[in-house]
Amino acid sequence: MHTKSDSDVTSLEAASPKHPLYYVQSPSNHDAAEKMSYGSSPFGSPGHHYHSSPIHHSRESSTSRFSASMKTTRNHGYWKRLQRVGDSVEEDDQVDEEDMRHKKEIKRFYVVCFVLSFVVLFSVFSLILWAASTCYPPEIYVKRLVFERFNVQSGMDISGVATDMLSINSTIKIFYRNTGTFFGVAVKIAPIQLWYYQRHLANGPEVKFHQHRKTQRTIVTSVNAYQLPLYGALPGFSARNGGHDSISVPLNLTIGIRSRAYVLGKLVKPKFYRTIRCQVTLHGKKLGKPVNLTNSCVHHN
C-alpha cells in the first residue's frame, strides 16, 4: 500500500509541468483575491515563488520602450514648441527694436529739420533787420570851431634842445542825430586832431555816449596842445614874428566817429563809420570868435 502510493506520487510529479499552474477564479472576498493574485500553487508548497514569464518581461520592456519613446517624442515636441515661442519672442523683440530705431530716426530727422528751419528763418529775419537798419545812418555836422588861445614862445624840449613851443586851446561843437526808428546807438568820437599839413598839432579827448532812437544832441569838446616843440618846421608859427595878430595859418581838423546800433541784442549790430575833415584857418585877430564849419567839411564813410 505504501509503495503504490509512492509510485503514484512520483508519476504525478513527473506528469506535472515544470512551471506552476495558475488558477483564475472569482474571489469571494478581498483576502481570496489577494491570494489568487499572488499565484499560489495547488500544492500549497511554501518553497515555490512567483516568477514572471518571458512574455511578461517582453511586454513590460516593450511598454517601457514605448512609454520612453512617447516621453522622448513628447519632450521633443515640447522643446520644439518652446523654441518656436522663443523664436517668435525674439522676432517680436527685433520688430520692436526696429520700430524704436525707426521712430528715433524720424524724431531725429524732425529735430534736425526744425533746427535748420529755425536757423534759416532767424538768419533771414536778422538779415532783414540789418538791411532795414542800414537805411537809417546818423546825421552828423561839425557846426563851429573856436580858437580861444594861441601862443608861441621860446623854450626847450625834454632833451634840452632850444626851439619854439606852441600852445593852442580850441573848442568844437558837433551835432549828432540818431535817425533810427527802432534802435539806439552807441557812439564813440575819436580821434579829434588838428593838423598843419603833415604836422600834427593838437588832440581832442575821446567822447562816448548812447543815443536813443530818433533823438539828437550837441557835443562840445576841446582840441588842445601844450608846449609842443616846433623845431622850425612851422615857419608861420614863430615867437620872433612879434605879435600874433598877423598870423594866418591854414589848418585841417579831422574827426572820426563810430556808431554801433544794437538792433537785436548783440546778434544784429550794424556799424556806421564816419570820418570828417574840415578846412579851417587860424587868424590871430579872430581869437575867441567862432568859425562856421557847416559848409567847410567833407564826410567819408
Side-chain angles (χ1 to χ4, degrees), residues 273-293:
Y273 294 99
R274 188 76 58 85
T275 300
I276 304 174
R277 291 185 174 87
C278 304
Q279 298 288 335
V280 59
T281 302
L282 172 60
H283 296 281
K285 296 180 179 180
K286 297 182 178 179
L287 293 178
K289 296 180 180 180
V291 179
N292 189 4
L293 300 177

Side-chain angles (χ1 to χ4, degrees), residues 1-294:
M1 242 358 239
H2 180 71
T3 304
K4 185 179 182 180
S5 63
D6 291 336
S7 63
D8 293 337
V9 173
T10 303
S11 63
L12 287 172
E13 288 179 354
S16 64
K18 293 181 180 180
H19 298 286
L21 298 176
Y22 295 90
Y23 297 88
V24 179
Q25 63 179 3
S26 300
S28 60
N29 53 35
H30 185 69
D31 294 334
E34 289 180 353
K35 290 178 179 179
M36 292 302 293
S37 66
Y38 283 99
S40 61
S41 64
F43 299 99
S45 175
H48 296 281
H49 297 283
Y50 171 76
H51 298 280
S52 61
S53 64
I55 298 173
H56 184 70
H57 280 291
S58 63
R59 287 178 179 177
E60 285 183 352
S61 61
S62 63
T63 303
S64 63
R65 285 196 300 270
F66 179 73
S67 62
S69 63
M70 289 296 291
K71 288 181 179 179
T72 303
T73 305
R74 191 181 299 109
N75 291 335
H76 185 66
Y78 171 75
W79 286 111
K80 276 190 174 182
R81 290 194 300 272
L82 186 61
Q83 186 176 4
R84 285 196 297 269
V85 172
D87 293 339
S88 63
V89 171
E90 289 180 358
E91 290 178 358
D92 292 339
D93 292 340
Q94 291 178 357
V95 171
D96 292 339
E97 290 179 359
E98 290 179 357
D99 291 340
M100 291 296 294
R101 191 180 301 109
H102 184 63
K103 289 180 180 179
K104 288 182 179 179
E105 290 178 357
I106 293 176
K107 185 177 180 181
R108 190 180 299 112
F109 174 75
Y110 283 132
V111 170
V112 172
C113 290
F114 175 77
V115 172
L116 290 177
S117 300
F118 177 78
V119 171
V120 171
L121 291 176
F122 185 78
S123 300
V124 172
F125 179 71
S126 301
L127 184 62
I128 292 173
L129 287 179
W130 178 84
S133 62
T134 56
C135 298
Y136 297 95
E139 294 180 1
I140 305 172
Y141 303 102
V142 180
K143 300 184 70 175
R144 65 183 185 183
L145 173 65
V146 179
F147 290 102
E148 298 175 350
R149 189 172 69 88
F150 171 77
N151 185 28
V152 177
Q153 61 183 7
S154 298
M156 292 184 298
D157 61 4
I158 57 176
S159 61
V161 177
T163 182
D164 293 334
M165 311 295 289
L166 173 67
S167 297
I168 297 176
N169 293 99
S170 61
T171 303
I172 61 172
K173 182 179 289 187
I174 304 171
F175 173 83
Y176 186 95
R177 181 175 184 270
N178 179 17
T179 60
T181 58
F182 57 93
F183 57 88
V185 292
V187 184
K188 176 182 177 181
I189 301 178
I192 304 174
Q193 298 174 338
L194 196 62
W195 296 77
Y196 176 76
Y197 295 104
Q198 301 299 321
R199 172 68 175 177
H200 176 245
L201 298 181
N203 291 319
E206 184 179 277
V207 180
K208 293 182 179 181
F209 59 92
H210 184 271
Q211 194 67 39
H212 297 286
R213 61 187 183 91
K214 296 188 72 66
T215 58
Q216 61 189 28
R217 72 170 60 193
T218 300
I219 302 99
V220 178
T221 185
S222 60
V223 181
N224 301 322
Y226 179 73
Q227 296 295 314
L228 176 68
L230 298 179
Y231 302 113
L234 282 76
F237 295 153
S238 176
R240 293 184 293 273
N241 291 340
H244 300 155
D245 294 342
S246 60
I247 294 177
S248 178
V249 180
L251 301 176
N252 295 319
L253 178 66
T254 303
I255 303 173
I257 301 176
R258 186 189 68 182
S259 304
R260 177 178 295 175
Y262 294 93
V263 179
L264 191 62
K266 293 185 178 181
L267 298 177
V268 180
K269 301 183 297 181
K271 299 176 182 179
F272 304 95
Y273 294 99
R274 188 76 58 85
T275 300
I276 304 174
R277 291 185 174 87
C278 304
Q279 298 288 335
V280 59
T281 302
L282 172 60
H283 296 281
K285 296 180 179 180
K286 297 182 178 179
L287 293 178
K289 296 180 180 180
V291 179
N292 189 4
L293 300 177
T294 304

